[in-house]
Structures are given as structure tokens and as C-alpha cells.
Amino acid sequence: MIRAAPLEPARVKWFDKGKGFGFANTFGRDEDVFVHVEVLRRSGLADLQPGEALAMRVIEGKRGRMATEVCGWEMAVKQSKA
């Protein structure tokens, strides 16, 4: 039930488009969240900048927390008000 995961506010730690992945931090949690370029593409994004505010759906993967959906903070705020 990936869609059932709540959107969590997060900030990009780093993202390397060439490597195809990066990491973000969700607010209130210490561990990093893995972000794969395919998740970005499915979410309609091409790249992320360090410090960028996001909203993410996160699940526990085999190697820790990973994003399953990513959207810009402004888009998440609009969706929550709809």
C-alpha cells in the first residue's frame, strides 16, 4: 500500500543526476531517505537541488527508508488544501 503512506515534508541533502540517486531528510527523523531518479521521473521531476523542500511518500526498503513518490513542496501544499 504505497499510496497509503503519508506525504512527509523533507529537504534534499544531495542528488547526483549522473549517478541516478541522492538522499533527503524528512523532518523530525535522523535517518536519510534514498531517492532514485526513476521515482523522480514517475513523479514528473528531472532533478533535485540541495536544500530544496519536498514532500515524499516513504517506505521501509531492504536497505532503509526510500522514497516512492516525490513532489515539490508547493504542489503538496496545494493538494492538501484541495
Side-chain angles (χ1 to χ4, degrees), residues 17-69:
K17 197 173 178 179
K19 291 181 180 178
F21 69 91
F23 290 90
N25 295 112
T26 53
F27 293 114
R29 300 199 57 167
D30 292 333
E31 66 270 23
D32 292 340
V33 177
F34 179 77
V35 182
H36 193 273
V37 70
E38 283 303 317
V39 172
L40 287 187
R41 287 188 186 130
R42 279 198 316 266
S43 301
L45 301 170
D47 201 1
L48 298 173
Q49 300 303 314
E52 186 176 343
L54 304 169
M56 303 189 301
R57 292 189 201 281
V58 180
I59 61 167
E60 281 296 329
K62 291 178 183 173
R63 295 182 171 176
R65 289 168 49 84
M66 57 187 284
T68 60
E69 183 181 347

